[in-house]
Amino acid sequence: MADGTNKATGNGAILVVGGGIAGLTAALEAAEVGVRVILVEKNPYLGGRVARMHRYFPKLCPPTCGLEINFRRIKSNPRIRILTLSEVESVSGQPGSYEVTIRQNPRYVNENCTACGACADACSLTVPNDFDLDMSQRKAAYMPFEMAYPMRYVLDPQIIGTDDANRCVQACKYNAIDLSMQPKVFTEKVAAIVVATGWKPYEAKKLDNLGFGRTPNVITNVMMERLASVNGPTQGKLLRPSDKKPVQSVIFAQCAGSRDENHLAYCSGVCCLASMKQATYVREQNPAAQIQIFYIDVRAMGKFEDFYSTAQKDEKLQFIKGKVAKIEEDPATQDVIVEVEDTLSGKKIRSRADMVVLATGMVPNTAGDRLPMDVAYDEFGFLVSDGSQKGIYAAGCAKRPVDVASALQDATGAALKAIQCLRR
Ligand SMILES: Cc1cc2nc3c(=O)[nH]c(=O)nc-3n(C[C@H](O)[C@H](O)[C@H](O)COP(=O)(O)OP(=O)(O)OC[C@H]3O[C@@H](n4cnc5c(N)ncnc54)[C@H](O)[C@@H]3O)c2cc1C
Ligand code: SF4
Ligand code: SF4
């Protein structure tokens, strides 16, 4: 049940931190074998990064389908207590018996909300929409996205105490807005903890030579997902940011900051596949579009080999082995010019396109923001999960960069370990 309306507490419970696909999976796997679960998510909605994607590789189905099934399973399971807008403040105790302090921030909207949208219509303040990576604006009274779970509006704290907040209250016919809501801090007892705090994109502005932030038509792979999404800033049309022209040519720059000692020393494993997937978005909208993927190595391991082979059959999609050295804008046309060292010929290539997509890598959310619990991290901020740590188990991208299918397997394993800890 949403937002803490049931009673999944006590020593017999498991705490899951992070409500992305890994956290959702761990929570459901445990709850469906009879274990009580408290799921803590800092956003006002569940689903994490995949909720913002247009499609999933390799099947190219919309992530909303999988999420919707999970949300239905959650709704029908009284053992899961969902706490959105929440974070863990402290953890004490030991495996089998932890005491956890949780802070839940106010949504200012209660369970009476029917998602009618009248508060958003009445609210005058618009702010950059973080869900769309600031490529669009949203009202300060908002639904994070139309399939959001819980299906309930949220009020930005910045309008509390303003006329906008009062206008929202007046517009709501269902008595669903409660401006007196305060942050709640409370403790719970749990036997084990699954950490599924996921990832964030590497900050592309740090890549000086690649022009992000200076050249409007240089975007990142996570922005590309939002551009292609029908609920995104361009309603799914691939329009280049500077002049909204439909894109006729796109360059994907692989390893943007990755496998580079000065930025991210590791390979994120999925961004080659993500660019091939995004090439299909371009192709679907423009059968004549020219697409180039500049890569150091193509990583498409195991079951993803077929996905790579299919991409290679596209005659207007070129894979070119070479590292992008520099990206600049042609001021006359706002086209983007990419300078590449072609590894095979040793020559310099200059290539022009309407838009460049930087394949930036995945950074663990725990890189700068350590969790208030006794866990070990590797040099990059991923949680170490070598089996030595009992009682707290990492899953999904909190542990290493992975695709969704691997995150699901991982989460199931973490749920099992947490259940074993509880039964011991
Ligand atoms: C450009 C791109 C495209 C991709 N496309 C695909 C694809 O097509 N197919 C595929 O299989 N994989 C794809 N991936 C990989 C996919 O995004 C990950 O596998 C997936 O997001 C992993 O889910 P997760 O739950 O581990 O992390 P996340 O999705 O990051 O979820 C983590 C959740 O934890 C929450 N959280 C974080 N910190 C805290 C905290 N302290 N307290 C409470 N909550 C917290 C976050 O708000 C979030 O909801 C892609 C990756 C990239 C970079
Ligand atoms: S808070 Fe009230 S006005 Fe806003 S969407 Fe919910 S029911 Fe409608
Ligand atoms: S998956 Fe591809 S683009 Fe991403 S870091 Fe690895 S090699 Fe580079």
Side-chain angles (χ1 to χ4, degrees):
M1 226 174 248
D3 280 23
T5 48
N6 77 2
K7 298 273 183 285
T9 56
N11 265 342
I14 288 173
L15 172 74
V16 176
V17 187
I21 198 72
L24 280 174
T25 306
L28 280 163
E29 294 296 347
E32 288 178 356
V33 295
V35 173
R36 286 171 295 139
V37 177
I38 302 170
L39 175 58
V40 169
E41 164 57 53
K42 70 175 178 187
N43 280 332
Y45 60 90
L46 300 181
R49 291 274 162 197
V50 297
R52 301 181 185 192
M53 279 173 195
H54 175 47
R55 296 212 182 120
Y56 275 156
F57 60 72
K59 289 190 181 159
L60 299 179
C61 46
T64 36
C65 288
L67 284 176
E68 187 55 26
I69 293 167
N70 281 327
F71 295 158
R72 248 183 275 141
R73 285 164 73 191
I74 282 185
K75 252 187 235 169
S76 63
N77 198 315
R79 289 184 207 92
I80 306 181
R81 178 179 175 198
I82 306 282
L83 299 169
T84 50
L85 289 160
S86 299
E87 285 188 68
V88 173
E89 282 202 335
S90 66
V91 175
S92 59
Q94 60 275 318
S97 171
Y98 289 109
E99 191 164 282
V100 180
T101 306
I102 297 166
R103 166 181 285 262
Q104 184 168 38
N105 290 316
R107 178 183 277 265
Y108 302 108
V109 175
N110 64 32
E111 285 167 3
N112 294 343
C113 180
T114 61
C116 71
C119 53
D121 293 341
C123 176
S124 63
L125 182 69
T126 53
V127 293
N129 188 357
D130 166 63
F131 194 79
D132 278 343
L133 299 137
D134 296 352
M135 289 187 288
S136 67
Q137 298 272 313
R138 65 159 168 76
K139 290 290 184 73
Y142 67 104
M143 178 69 99
F145 61 105
E146 59 278 17
M147 306 277 288
Y149 186 90
M151 179 65 74
R152 211 190 297 167
Y153 272 61
V154 195
L155 260 54
D156 263 343
Q158 59 184 309
I159 61 164
I160 305 306
T162 68
D163 287 349
D164 252 336
N166 297 332
R167 274 193 288 274
C168 290
V169 174
Q170 280 154 20
C172 182
K173 289 190 223 138
Y174 302 94
N175 206 16
I177 299 181
D178 177 358
L179 300 179
S180 70
M181 278 186 188
Q182 296 293 323
K184 287 185 213 153
V185 179
F186 49 96
T187 57
E188 297 290 350
K189 285 187 167 36
V190 297
I193 300 172
V194 174
V195 177
T197 44
W199 62 280
K200 58 189 169 193
Y202 185 71
E203 242 182 90
K205 276 195 179 148
K206 291 184 182 165
L207 306 165
D208 266 353
N209 54 330
L210 302 186
F212 182 81
R214 293 192 304 273
T215 309
N217 296 327
V218 175
I219 65 166
T220 64
N221 49 9
V222 281
M223 291 165 80
M224 183 66 163
E225 292 295 334
R226 295 309 303 144
L227 274 190
S229 297
V230 274
N231 65 356
T234 54
Q235 291 74 51
K237 294 193 186 75
L238 294 177
L239 310 176
R240 68 178 192 173
S242 70
D243 54 7
K244 306 288 176 266
K245 172 186 147 187
V247 295
Q248 316 278 352
S249 51
V250 180
I251 290 173
F252 291 89
Q254 297 310 111
C255 294
S258 296
R259 304 168 70 200
D260 178 341
E261 291 297 335
N262 297 315
H263 296 282
L264 285 186
Y266 54 87
C267 167
S268 282
V270 301
C271 17
C272 281
L273 294 157
S275 293
M276 289 179 223
K277 171 184 70 167
Q278 293 177 351
T280 70
Y281 303 166
V282 180
R283 178 64 62 239
E284 206 172 80
Q285 292 194 19
N286 186 344
Q290 294 295 332
I291 309 171
Q292 291 178 317
I293 298 184
F294 289 106
Y295 67 93
I296 305 179
D297 299 291
V298 174
R299 299 274 157 94
M301 305 298 277
K303 60 188 180 219
F304 295 121
E305 180 67 29
D306 284 353
F307 192 68
Y308 179 26
S309 309
T310 308
Q312 284 174 307
K313 286 184 191 136
D314 182 336
E315 285 171 4
K316 294 196 180 73
L317 164 56
Q318 281 178 290
F319 285 88
I320 303 167
K321 190 170 172 70
K323 188 172 166 62
V324 172
K326 198 167 158 194
I327 301 180
E328 282 174 336
E329 184 184 60
D330 174 350
T333 59
Q334 293 178 315
D335 289 353
V336 194
I337 299 162
V338 175
E339 223 174 86
V340 186
E341 291 145 20
D342 185 330
T343 318
L344 298 180
S345 68
K347 288 190 189 140
K348 266 208 176 121
I349 301 176
R350 272 171 76 82
S351 195
R352 173 185 285 264
D354 287 332
M355 191 167 83
V356 171
V357 180
L358 303 179
T360 45
M362 297 154 90
V363 180
N365 276 320
T366 43
D369 229 350
R370 296 299 204 230
L371 294 165
M373 56 187 87
D374 186 18
V375 283
Y377 301 90
D378 70 12
E379 59 187 306
F380 309 115
F382 290 104
L383 265 76
V384 174
S385 198
D386 58 4
S388 60
Q389 201 126 15
K390 302 277 181 257
I392 304 180
Y393 307 100
C397 291
K399 216 161 83 175
R400 66 201 152 94
V402 282
D403 62 280
V404 169
S406 308
L408 299 187
Q409 286 167 4
D410 213 34
T412 307
L416 177 62
K417 284 183 196 154
I419 294 168
Q420 286 169 345
C421 184
L422 181 143
R423 299 277 189 250
R424 239 176 246 135

